[in-house]
């Protein structure tokens, strides 16, 4: 049996004691460092990333709340004598993206070659929260494009009796989240969750967020827009978001979609939604449901999901393909190639 001399035992105990002390110090320092950098860790679908820029890591703290958006004109225009909406399957039409609006003069020239009264769908706010028209909403930021030319485009569409549809990203809005941080979706640290594009997302159940969306829709209605389509109407898929709620995400989206729809029911503005999801709460919607980024093989699937009965006015596909499987459907196609 191996015997360790007493002097060596004392040396081993001393070494072990020092090692434990060093380990405890390293552990304590690690905890301190983790606490310090946690607000600077950005989570997205690709994992965690360290961002030491303080400006890009807002805290969703309720201590300094921004004021609720002011509604300059709370009236909604009602017209009981308005003619029934035509089906887009009959009129056809085109869609205009924010990428196309980088050259609004080219877009206007292309529009002038169209025959009215077809439908023209145009993205008037980006996922970053920048507006692509002269908005009067307090604190709103306009995109770095020729806004005056886009205003001219909108005027032309209205004056020439095109059916004007505006697309507004509902909950992806970096600008509004930075100005109203309590409206964003937070991490456990209190910082706002950011997606792959560097966008912050808004809480679909937040009353200020709903008021903001209603205000945008009212303003667009006053500009001659006949239909507002809310895109990005969903919760982001991320386990990093801390969202305590008694209701499921589907229930929250259903309630918010129902509120937006009901608020404008009877007015001259239709509220519609854009989605690629198979579980969108279409049962509370009376406007149209737009399906983007689909090929012909997906047409029948979405028709089965949303196109048979229900309360929807119409199911519309945003397609680039000339696949014959789109022939019996309502379809909008890109005005310009991107």
């Amino acid at each position: 049996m191996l015997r360790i001399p007493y002097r060596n035992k004392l040396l081993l105990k001393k070494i072990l004691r020092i090692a434990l002390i060093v380990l405890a110090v390293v552990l304590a320092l690690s905890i301190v460092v983790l606490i310090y950098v946690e607000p600077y860790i950005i989570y997205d679908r690709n994992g965690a990333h360290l961002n030491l820029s303080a400006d890009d890591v807002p805290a969703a703290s309720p201590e300094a709340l921004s004021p609720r958006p002011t509604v300059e004109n709370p009236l909604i225009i009602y017209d009981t004598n308005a003619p029934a909406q035509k089906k887009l399957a009959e009129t056809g039409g085109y869609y205009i993206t924010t990428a196309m609006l980088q050259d609004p003069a080219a877009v206007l020239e292309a529009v002038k070659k169209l025959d009215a009264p077809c439908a023209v769908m145009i993205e008037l706010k980006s996922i970053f929260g920048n507006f692509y028209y002269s908005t009067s909403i307090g604190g709103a930021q306009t995109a770095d494009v020729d806004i005056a030319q886009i205003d001219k485009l909108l005027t032309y569409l209205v004056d020439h009796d095109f059916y004007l549809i505006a697309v507004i990203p509902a909950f992806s809005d970096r600008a509004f989240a930075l100005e109203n941080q309590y409206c964003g979706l937070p991490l456990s640290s209190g910082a706002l969750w950011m997606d792959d594009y560097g966008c912050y997302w808004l809480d679909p159940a937040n009353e200020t967020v709903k008021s903001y969306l209603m205000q945008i829709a009212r303003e667009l209605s006053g500009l001659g827009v006949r239909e507002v389509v809310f895109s990005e109407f969903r919760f982001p898929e991320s386990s990093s978001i801390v969202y305590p709620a008694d209701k499921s995400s589907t229930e929250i989206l259903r309630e918010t979609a129902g509120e937006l729809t009901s608020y404008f029911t009877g007015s001259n503005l239709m509220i519609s939604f854009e989605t690629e999801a198979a579980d969108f709460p279409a049962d509370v919607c009376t406007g149209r449901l737009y399906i983007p980024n689909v090929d012909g093989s997906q047409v029948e699937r979405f028709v089965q999901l949303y196109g048979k009965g229900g309360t929807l006015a119409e199911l519309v596909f945003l397609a680039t393909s000339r696949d014959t499987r789109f022939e019996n459907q309502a379809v909008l196609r890109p005005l310009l190639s991107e």
Side-chain angles (χ1 to χ4, degrees):
M1 181 177 178
L2 180 63
R3 300 186 63 181
I4 301 176
Y6 179 73
R7 180 177 298 178
N8 290 349
K9 287 182 179 180
L10 292 178
L11 180 60
L12 289 174
K13 289 181 179 180
K14 185 175 181 180
I15 292 173
L16 181 59
R17 187 181 302 113
I18 294 173
L20 290 174
I21 293 173
V22 171
L23 181 61
V25 171
V26 171
L27 182 60
L29 289 175
S30 299
I31 293 174
V32 171
V33 171
L34 181 61
I35 293 174
Y36 175 77
V37 302
E38 184 182 13
Y40 299 92
I41 299 176
I42 302 300
Y43 296 87
D44 56 35
R45 289 185 289 275
N46 295 323
H49 313 280
L50 185 62
N51 187 336
L52 297 178
S53 174
D55 292 338
D56 289 337
V57 191
S61 172
E63 276 75 18
L65 303 184
S66 299
R68 187 184 181 96
T70 301
V71 180
E72 300 295 342
N73 181 7
L75 298 178
I76 308 174
I77 301 174
Y78 292 88
D79 187 356
T80 56
N81 297 317
Q85 298 280 1
K86 287 187 177 181
K87 295 288 187 180
L88 297 193
E90 301 172 11
T91 65
Y94 301 86
Y95 63 83
I96 300 168
T97 65
T98 53
M100 297 178 194
L101 290 176
Q102 298 303 310
D103 188 357
V107 173
L108 179 57
E109 287 304 309
V111 164
K112 288 181 178 179
K113 297 176 182 179
L114 301 179
D115 294 325
C118 72
V120 175
M121 169 188 277
I122 181 169
E123 295 179 354
L124 290 180
K125 187 170 79 73
S126 74
I127 57 175
F128 299 97
N130 298 321
F131 287 74
Y132 280 73
Y133 66 95
S134 295
T135 177
S136 61
I137 295 175
Q141 301 176 13
T142 53
D144 187 18
V145 294
D146 190 344
I147 297 296
Q149 188 71 14
I150 296 177
D151 290 343
K152 184 177 178 181
L153 167 65
L154 297 178
T155 299
Y156 179 90
L157 289 167
V158 173
D159 290 347
H160 288 78
D161 201 30
F162 286 89
Y163 184 78
L164 183 54
I165 308 167
V167 181
I168 300 296
F171 305 127
S172 174
D173 194 318
R174 176 185 174 89
F176 190 81
L178 286 173
E179 291 297 322
N180 304 270
Q181 294 173 19
Y182 67 103
C183 293
L185 295 177
L187 303 169
S188 60
S189 64
L192 297 184
W193 181 85
M194 177 186 287
D195 68 14
D196 296 343
Y197 298 101
C199 292
Y200 300 118
W201 284 65
L202 306 177
D203 177 3
N206 187 283
E207 293 300 323
T208 300
V209 173
K210 297 176 189 178
S211 173
Y212 174 56
L213 297 180
M214 291 175 183
Q215 184 181 15
I216 296 173
R218 277 193 297 268
E219 180 176 66
L220 290 171
S221 177
L223 296 177
V225 170
R226 304 282 299 280
E227 182 177 347
V228 169
V229 180
F230 289 113
S231 63
E232 303 298 348
F233 199 88
R234 59 186 176 87
F235 274 95
E237 297 179 2
S238 174
S239 59
S240 301
I241 296 172
V242 177
Y243 191 86
D246 297 330
K247 301 175 182 177
S248 68
S249 59
T250 301
E251 290 173 326
I252 292 172
L253 291 174
R254 174 177 284 106
E255 288 186 3
T256 301
E259 287 183 43
L260 292 172
T261 298
S262 298
Y263 189 82
F264 290 95
T265 296
S267 74
N268 67 339
L269 183 70
M270 176 182 285
I271 298 297
S272 300
F273 299 89
E274 179 184 311
T275 186
E276 299 176 64
D279 59 348
F280 189 83
D283 56 305
V284 298
C285 307
T286 57
R288 295 185 175 91
L289 193 63
Y290 292 83
I291 311 297
N293 307 319
V294 296
D295 58 39
S297 64
Q298 298 173 296
V299 169
E300 186 58 32
R301 171 173 174 260
F302 282 103
V303 169
Q304 291 297 325
L305 285 171
Y306 301 117
K308 303 294 184 181
T311 59
L312 284 176
E314 196 172 14
L315 181 67
V316 185
F317 292 93
L318 305 178
T320 58
S321 169
R322 292 290 175 179
D323 193 308
T324 56
R325 284 171 286 193
F326 287 109
E327 288 182 355
N328 297 323
Q329 310 300 327
V331 180
L332 298 183
R333 303 187 186 282
L335 179 67
L336 301 174
S337 58
E338 297 183 76

